Amino acid sequence: MATTEAQTIEELTTAVSTQGQPDAKTRRYDRQLRLWATAGQNALESARILVVGSTATSSSIMKNLVLPGIGHFTIMDHRSVSPEDVGNNFFLEYSSIGKPRAEEATRLLCELNDSVEGVANTSNIEEVLEKDPAYITSFTLVIAHNLADGLLRKLASLLWSNAAHPPLVVVRTAGFLADFTIQLHEHAGKFISYIVLLDHP
């Protein structure tokens, strides 16, 4: 019985075929395929992630999702790259100054993995929330970094209004301090507490 269970686990967590040479995809993702198997990799590749705010923190988050091979990501940011951005975001270059932050971060992140689709959206999140909320809910996950409190409440309310809408990951950073909260219907209480803290700092 123990041998059968061991063989089953081996089959589920090993992606390298014993027949012939593994293909290019298997060789690229070999270590993670051994961790979460083909089913986990397929789930990752089917993900469509919206990142609100092109910052050093959001770029680092996306680096850790682009390298293992997410299917698609969109960075939404209407601002341009400033000298301060270049100083704290290693995914921007000096030549990026004055150019759209979303476009520059997307371009450089896509260089990490040519199998990942990255799109830059230079729209203002406030305008999108008002005019085209369906665009936001079309993703499988939304990540927001240091979003203003009022916009965060609107975004959270939109995504909470329907159980079919994607989860929301809220990330806040200040220097070396950071916190993050996940909003999804199975864990509503934690996010509600977070909103209360915003109302009463």
Side-chain angles (χ1 to χ4, degrees), residues 115-179:
S115 67
V116 174
E117 179 186 28
V119 173
N121 187 329
T122 57
S123 301
N124 188 322
I125 181 62
E126 185 172 11
E127 295 178 358
V128 177
L129 282 167
E130 293 293 333
K131 299 178 181 179
D132 191 14
Y135 173 79
I136 297 172
T137 59
S138 68
F139 291 86
T140 57
L141 177 69
V142 178
I143 301 172
H145 177 237
N146 281 1
L147 196 60
D149 293 350
L151 290 176
L152 176 58
R153 291 189 186 92
K154 290 180 180 179
L155 178 61
S157 296
L158 169 66
L159 297 179
W160 185 251
S161 64
N162 189 316
H165 289 171
L168 171 65
V169 177
V170 178
V171 183
R172 285 186 176 273
T173 57
F176 291 105
L177 300 177
D179 67 73

Coordinates of all heavy atoms in Angstrom, one line a residue, residues 115-179:
S115 N 7.4 33.8 -22.9 CA 6.2 33.0 -23.1 C 5.0 33.7 -22.3 O 3.8 33.3 -22.4 CB 6.3 31.6 -22.5 OG 6.5 31.6 -21.1
V116 N 5.3 34.8 -21.6 CA 4.3 35.5 -20.9 C 3.8 36.8 -21.7 O 4.6 37.5 -22.2 CB 4.8 36.0 -19.5 CG1 3.8 36.9 -18.8 CG2 5.2 34.8 -18.6
E117 N 2.5 37.0 -21.7 CA 1.9 38.1 -22.4 C 1.7 39.3 -21.4 O 1.1 39.1 -20.3 CB 0.6 37.8 -23.0 CG -0.1 38.9 -23.7 CD -1.5 38.6 -24.1 OE1 -2.2 37.8 -23.5 OE2 -2.0 39.3 -25.1
G118 N 2.4 40.4 -21.7 CA 2.3 41.6 -20.8 C 1.7 42.7 -21.6 O 2.1 43.0 -22.7
V119 N 0.8 43.5 -20.9 CA 0.1 44.6 -21.6 C 0.2 45.8 -20.6 O 0.0 45.7 -19.4 CB -1.4 44.3 -21.9 CG1 -2.1 45.5 -22.4 CG2 -1.5 43.2 -22.9
A120 N 0.5 47.0 -21.2 CA 0.5 48.2 -20.4 C -0.8 49.0 -20.7 O -1.2 49.1 -21.9 CB 1.7 49.0 -20.8
N121 N -1.4 49.4 -19.6 CA -2.7 50.2 -19.8 C -2.4 51.5 -19.1 O -2.2 51.6 -17.8 CB -3.8 49.5 -19.1 CG -5.2 50.2 -19.3 OD1 -5.2 51.4 -19.4 ND2 -6.2 49.4 -19.4
T122 N -2.4 52.6 -19.8 CA -2.1 53.9 -19.2 C -3.3 54.7 -18.8 O -3.3 55.9 -18.6 CB -1.3 54.8 -20.3 OG1 -2.0 54.9 -21.5 CG2 0.1 54.1 -20.6
S123 N -4.4 54.0 -18.6 CA -5.7 54.6 -18.2 C -5.6 54.9 -16.7 O -4.8 54.3 -15.9 CB -6.9 53.7 -18.4 OG -7.0 53.4 -19.8
N124 N -6.4 55.9 -16.2 CA -6.5 56.2 -14.8 C -7.5 55.2 -14.2 O -8.6 55.1 -14.7 CB -6.9 57.6 -14.7 CG -6.9 58.1 -13.2 OD1 -7.2 57.4 -12.3 ND2 -6.5 59.4 -13.0
I125 N -7.1 54.6 -13.1 CA -8.0 53.6 -12.5 C -9.3 54.2 -12.0 O -10.4 53.6 -12.1 CB -7.3 52.9 -11.3 CG1 -8.2 51.8 -10.6 CG2 -6.8 53.9 -10.3 CD1 -8.6 50.7 -11.5
E126 N -9.3 55.5 -11.6 CA -10.5 56.1 -11.2 C -11.5 56.2 -12.4 O -12.7 56.0 -12.2 CB -10.2 57.5 -10.7 CG -11.4 58.2 -10.1 CD -11.0 59.5 -9.4 OE1 -9.9 60.0 -9.5 OE2 -11.9 60.1 -8.7
E127 N -11.0 56.6 -13.6 CA -11.9 56.7 -14.7 C -12.4 55.3 -15.2 O -13.5 55.1 -15.6 CB -11.1 57.3 -15.9 CG -10.7 58.8 -15.6 CD -9.9 59.4 -16.8 OE1 -9.7 58.6 -17.7 OE2 -9.6 60.6 -16.7
V128 N -11.5 54.3 -15.1 CA -12.0 52.9 -15.5 C -13.0 52.4 -14.5 O -14.0 51.8 -14.9 CB -10.8 52.0 -15.5 CG1 -11.2 50.5 -15.8 CG2 -9.7 52.4 -16.5
L129 N -12.9 52.7 -13.2 CA -13.9 52.3 -12.3 C -15.3 52.9 -12.6 O -16.3 52.3 -12.4 CB -13.5 52.7 -10.8 CG -12.4 51.8 -10.2 CD1 -11.9 52.4 -8.9 CD2 -13.1 50.4 -9.8
E130 N -15.2 54.2 -13.1 CA -16.5 54.9 -13.4 C -17.1 54.4 -14.7 O -18.3 54.3 -14.8 CB -16.2 56.4 -13.4 CG -15.9 57.0 -12.0 CD -17.0 56.9 -11.1 OE1 -18.2 56.9 -11.5 OE2 -16.8 56.9 -9.8
K131 N -16.2 54.3 -15.7 CA -16.7 54.1 -17.1 C -16.7 52.6 -17.6 O -17.5 52.3 -18.4 CB -15.9 55.0 -18.0 CG -16.0 56.4 -17.7 CD -15.1 57.2 -18.7 CE -15.2 58.7 -18.4 NZ -14.3 59.5 -19.3
D132 N -15.8 51.8 -17.1 CA -15.7 50.5 -17.6 C -15.3 49.5 -16.5 O -14.3 48.8 -16.6 CB -14.6 50.5 -18.7 CG -14.6 49.2 -19.5 OD1 -15.6 48.4 -19.4 OD2 -13.6 48.9 -20.2
P133 N -16.2 49.3 -15.5 CA -15.8 48.4 -14.4 C -15.7 46.9 -14.9 O -15.0 46.1 -14.3 CB -17.0 48.6 -13.4 CG -18.1 49.1 -14.3 CD -17.4 50.0 -15.3
A134 N -16.4 46.6 -16.0 CA -16.3 45.2 -16.5 C -14.9 44.8 -16.9 O -14.6 43.7 -16.9 CB -17.3 45.0 -17.7
Y135 N -14.2 45.8 -17.3 CA -12.8 45.6 -17.7 C -12.0 45.0 -16.5 O -11.2 44.1 -16.6 CB -12.1 46.9 -18.2 CG -10.6 46.7 -18.5 CD1 -10.2 46.1 -19.6 CD2 -9.7 47.2 -17.5 CE1 -8.8 46.0 -19.9 CE2 -8.3 47.1 -17.7 CZ -7.9 46.5 -18.9 OH -6.5 46.3 -19.1
I136 N -12.2 45.6 -15.4 CA -11.5 45.2 -14.2 C -11.9 43.8 -13.7 O -11.1 42.9 -13.4 CB -11.7 46.2 -13.0 CG1 -11.2 47.5 -13.4 CG2 -11.1 45.7 -11.7 CD1 -11.5 48.6 -12.4
T137 N -13.2 43.5 -13.8 CA -13.7 42.2 -13.4 C -13.4 41.1 -14.4 O -13.7 39.9 -14.1 CB -15.2 42.3 -13.1 OG1 -15.9 42.6 -14.3 CG2 -15.5 43.3 -12.0
S138 N -12.9 41.4 -15.5 CA -12.6 40.4 -16.5 C -11.3 39.6 -16.2 O -11.0 38.6 -16.8 CB -12.4 41.0 -17.9 OG -11.3 41.8 -18.0
F139 N -10.5 40.1 -15.2 CA -9.3 39.4 -14.8 C -9.6 38.3 -13.8 O -10.6 38.2 -13.2 CB -8.3 40.4 -14.3 CG -7.8 41.4 -15.3 CD1 -8.5 42.5 -15.6 CD2 -6.6 41.1 -16.0 CE1 -8.0 43.4 -16.6 CE2 -6.1 41.9 -17.0 CZ -6.8 43.1 -17.3
T140 N -8.6 37.4 -13.6 CA -8.7 36.4 -12.6 C -8.2 36.8 -11.2 O -8.5 36.2 -10.2 CB -8.0 35.1 -13.0 OG1 -6.6 35.4 -13.3 CG2 -8.7 34.5 -14.3
L141 N -7.4 37.9 -11.2 CA -6.8 38.4 -9.9 C -6.5 39.9 -10.1 O -6.0 40.2 -11.2 CB -5.6 37.6 -9.5 CG -4.9 38.1 -8.2 CD1 -5.7 37.8 -7.0 CD2 -3.5 37.4 -8.1
V142 N -6.7 40.7 -9.1 CA -6.4 42.1 -9.1 C -5.4 42.4 -8.0 O -5.7 42.0 -6.8 CB -7.6 43.0 -9.0 CG1 -7.2 44.5 -9.0 CG2 -8.6 42.7 -10.2
I143 N -4.3 43.0 -8.2 CA -3.4 43.4 -7.2 C -3.3 45.0 -7.2 O -3.1 45.6 -8.3 CB -2.0 42.8 -7.5 CG1 -2.0 41.3 -7.5 CG2 -0.9 43.3 -6.5 CD1 -0.7 40.6 -8.0
A144 N -3.4 45.6 -6.1 CA -3.4 47.0 -5.9 C -2.3 47.4 -4.9 O -2.3 46.9 -3.8 CB -4.7 47.6 -5.5
H145 N -1.4 48.3 -5.3 CA -0.3 48.7 -4.4 C -0.4 50.2 -4.1 O -0.5 51.0 -5.0 CB 1.1 48.4 -5.0 CG 2.2 48.9 -4.2 ND1 3.1 49.8 -4.6 CD2 2.5 48.7 -2.9 CE1 4.0 50.1 -3.6 NE2 3.6 49.4 -2.6
N146 N -0.5 50.5 -2.8 CA -0.5 51.9 -2.3 C -1.6 52.7 -3.0 O -1.4 53.9 -3.4 CB 0.8 52.6 -2.4 CG 1.8 52.1 -1.3 OD1 1.4 51.3 -0.5 ND2 3.0 52.7 -1.3
L147 N -2.8 52.1 -3.2 CA -3.9 52.8 -3.8 C -4.5 53.8 -2.8 O -4.7 53.4 -1.6 CB -4.9 51.8 -4.4 CG -5.9 52.3 -5.4 CD1 -5.3 52.9 -6.6 CD2 -6.9 51.2 -5.7
A148 N -4.9 54.9 -3.2 CA -5.5 55.9 -2.3 C -6.8 55.3 -1.7 O -7.5 54.5 -2.3 CB -5.9 57.2 -3.1
D149 N -7.1 55.7 -0.4 CA -8.2 55.0 0.3 C -9.5 55.0 -0.4 O -10.2 54.0 -0.4 CB -8.3 55.7 1.7 CG -7.1 55.4 2.6 OD1 -6.2 54.6 2.2 OD2 -7.0 56.1 3.6
G150 N -9.9 56.2 -1.0 CA -11.2 56.3 -1.6 C -11.2 55.4 -2.8 O -12.3 54.7 -3.0
L151 N -10.2 55.3 -3.6 CA -10.2 54.4 -4.8 C -10.1 53.0 -4.4 O -10.8 52.1 -5.0 CB -9.0 54.7 -5.7 CG -9.0 56.1 -6.4 CD1 -7.7 56.3 -7.2 CD2 -10.2 56.1 -7.4
L152 N -9.4 52.7 -3.3 CA -9.4 51.3 -2.8 C -10.8 50.8 -2.4 O -11.2 49.7 -2.7 CB -8.4 51.2 -1.6 CG -8.3 49.9 -0.9 CD1 -7.9 48.8 -1.9 CD2 -7.3 49.9 0.2
R153 N -11.5 51.7 -1.7 CA -12.9 51.3 -1.3 C -13.8 51.0 -2.5 O -14.5 50.1 -2.5 CB -13.5 52.4 -0.4 CG -12.8 52.5 0.9 CD -13.7 53.5 1.8 NE -13.0 53.7 3.1 CZ -12.1 54.8 3.2 NH1 -11.9 55.6 2.3 NH2 -11.5 54.9 4.4
K154 N -13.7 51.9 -3.5 CA -14.5 51.7 -4.8 C -14.1 50.3 -5.4 O -14.9 49.6 -5.9 CB -14.3 52.8 -5.7 CG -14.9 54.1 -5.3 CD -14.6 55.2 -6.3 CE -15.3 56.5 -5.8 NZ -15.0 57.6 -6.8
L155 N -12.8 50.1 -5.5 CA -12.3 48.9 -6.2 C -12.7 47.7 -5.4 O -13.2 46.7 -6.0 CB -10.8 48.9 -6.3 CG -10.1 47.7 -6.9 CD1 -10.6 47.5 -8.4 CD2 -8.6 47.9 -6.9
A156 N -12.6 47.7 -4.1 CA -13.0 46.6 -3.2 C -14.5 46.3 -3.3 O -14.9 45.2 -3.4 CB -12.5 46.8 -1.8
S157 N -15.3 47.4 -3.3 CA -16.7 47.2 -3.4 C -17.1 46.6 -4.7 O -18.0 45.7 -4.8 CB -17.4 48.6 -3.3 OG -17.2 49.1 -2.0
L158 N -16.5 47.0 -5.8 CA -16.8 46.5 -7.1 C -16.5 45.0 -7.1 O -17.4 44.2 -7.5 CB -16.0 47.2 -8.2 CG -16.0 46.5 -9.6 CD1 -17.4 46.5 -10.2 CD2 -14.9 47.1 -10.5
L159 N -15.3 44.6 -6.7 CA -14.9 43.2 -6.7 C -15.7 42.3 -5.7 O -15.8 41.1 -5.9 CB -13.4 43.0 -6.5 CG -12.6 43.7 -7.5 CD1 -11.1 43.6 -7.2 CD2 -12.9 43.2 -8.9
W160 N -16.2 43.0 -4.7 CA -17.0 42.2 -3.7 C -18.5 42.1 -4.1 O -19.2 41.2 -3.5 CB -16.9 42.9 -2.3 CG -17.6 42.2 -1.2 CD1 -18.7 42.5 -0.5 CD2 -17.1 40.9 -0.6 NE1 -19.0 41.6 0.4 CE2 -18.0 40.6 0.4 CE3 -16.0 40.1 -0.9 CZ2 -17.9 39.4 1.1 CZ3 -15.9 39.0 -0.1 CH2 -16.8 38.7 0.9
S161 N -18.9 42.8 -5.0 CA -20.3 42.9 -5.4 C -20.9 41.6 -6.0 O -22.1 41.4 -6.1 CB -20.6 44.1 -6.3 OG -20.0 43.9 -7.5
N162 N -20.0 40.8 -6.5 CA -20.4 39.5 -7.2 C -19.4 38.4 -6.8 O -18.2 38.7 -7.0 CB -20.5 39.7 -8.7 CG -21.1 38.6 -9.4 OD1 -20.8 37.4 -9.1 ND2 -22.0 38.9 -10.3
A163 N -19.8 37.3 -6.4 CA -18.9 36.2 -6.1 C -18.1 35.7 -7.2 O -17.0 35.1 -7.0 CB -19.7 35.0 -5.5
A164 N -18.5 36.0 -8.4 CA -17.8 35.6 -9.6 C -16.6 36.5 -9.9 O -15.8 36.2 -10.8 CB -18.7 35.5 -10.8
H165 N -16.6 37.7 -9.3 CA -15.5 38.7 -9.5 C -14.2 38.2 -8.9 O -14.2 37.4 -8.0 CB -15.9 40.0 -9.0 CG -17.0 40.7 -9.7 ND1 -17.6 41.8 -9.3 CD2 -17.6 40.4 -10.9 CE1 -18.5 42.2 -10.2 NE2 -18.5 41.3 -11.2
P166 N -13.1 38.6 -9.5 CA -11.8 38.1 -9.0 C -11.4 38.6 -7.6 O -11.9 39.6 -7.1 CB -10.8 38.7 -10.0 CG -11.5 39.9 -10.5 CD -12.9 39.6 -10.6
P167 N -10.6 37.8 -6.9 CA -10.0 38.2 -5.6 C -9.2 39.5 -5.8 O -8.7 39.8 -6.9 CB -9.2 37.1 -5.2 CG -9.6 35.9 -6.0 CD -10.0 36.5 -7.3
L168 N -9.0 40.2 -4.7 CA -8.2 41.4 -4.6 C -7.1 41.3 -3.6 O -7.4 40.9 -2.5 CB -9.1 42.6 -4.3 CG -8.4 44.0 -4.0 CD1 -7.7 44.5 -5.2 CD2 -9.4 45.0 -3.4
V169 N -5.9 41.6 -4.0 CA -4.8 41.6 -3.1 C -4.4 43.0 -2.9 O -4.0 43.7 -3.9 CB -3.6 40.8 -3.7 CG1 -2.4 40.9 -2.7 CG2 -4.0 39.3 -3.9
V170 N -4.4 43.5 -1.7 CA -4.1 44.9 -1.4 C -2.7 44.9 -0.7 O -2.5 44.2 0.3 CB -5.1 45.5 -0.4 CG1 -4.7 47.0 -0.1 CG2 -6.5 45.5 -1.1
V171 N -1.8 45.7 -1.3 CA -0.4 45.7 -0.7 C -0.1 47.2 -0.4 O -0.4 48.1 -1.2 CB 0.6 45.2 -1.7 CG1 2.0 45.3 -1.1 CG2 0.3 43.8 -2.2
R172 N 0.4 47.4 0.8 CA 0.8 48.8 1.2 C 2.2 48.7 1.8 O 2.5 47.8 2.6 CB -0.2 49.3 2.3 CG -1.5 49.7 1.8 CD -2.3 50.4 2.9 NE -3.6 50.9 2.5 CZ -3.8 52.1 1.9 NH1 -2.8 52.9 1.8 NH2 -5.0 52.5 1.5
T173 N 3.0 49.6 1.3 CA 4.4 49.7 1.8 C 4.8 51.1 2.1 O 4.3 52.1 1.6 CB 5.4 49.2 0.7 OG1 5.2 49.9 -0.5 CG2 5.1 47.7 0.4
A174 N 5.7 51.2 3.1 CA 6.3 52.5 3.5 C 7.7 52.2 4.0 O 7.8 51.7 5.1 CB 5.4 53.2 4.6
G175 N 8.7 52.5 3.2 CA 10.0 52.2 3.5 C 10.2 50.7 3.6 O 9.8 49.9 2.7
F176 N 10.7 50.2 4.8 CA 10.8 48.8 5.0 C 9.6 48.1 5.6 O 9.7 46.9 5.9 CB 12.1 48.5 5.9 CG 13.4 48.8 5.2 CD1 14.1 50.0 5.5 CD2 13.9 48.0 4.2 CE1 15.3 50.3 4.9 CE2 15.1 48.3 3.6 CZ 15.8 49.5 3.9
L177 N 8.6 48.8 5.8 CA 7.3 48.3 6.4 C 6.3 48.0 5.3 O 6.2 48.7 4.3 CB 6.7 49.3 7.4 CG 7.6 49.7 8.6 CD1 6.8 50.7 9.4 CD2 7.9 48.5 9.5
A178 N 5.6 46.9 5.5 CA 4.6 46.5 4.5 C 3.6 45.6 5.1 O 3.8 45.0 6.1 CB 5.3 45.7 3.3
D179 N 2.4 45.7 4.5 CA 1.3 44.7 4.9 C 0.5 44.4 3.6 O 0.5 45.2 2.7 CB 0.4 45.3 6.0 CG -0.4 46.5 5.6 OD1 -1.4 46.2 4.8 OD2 -0.1 47.6 6.0

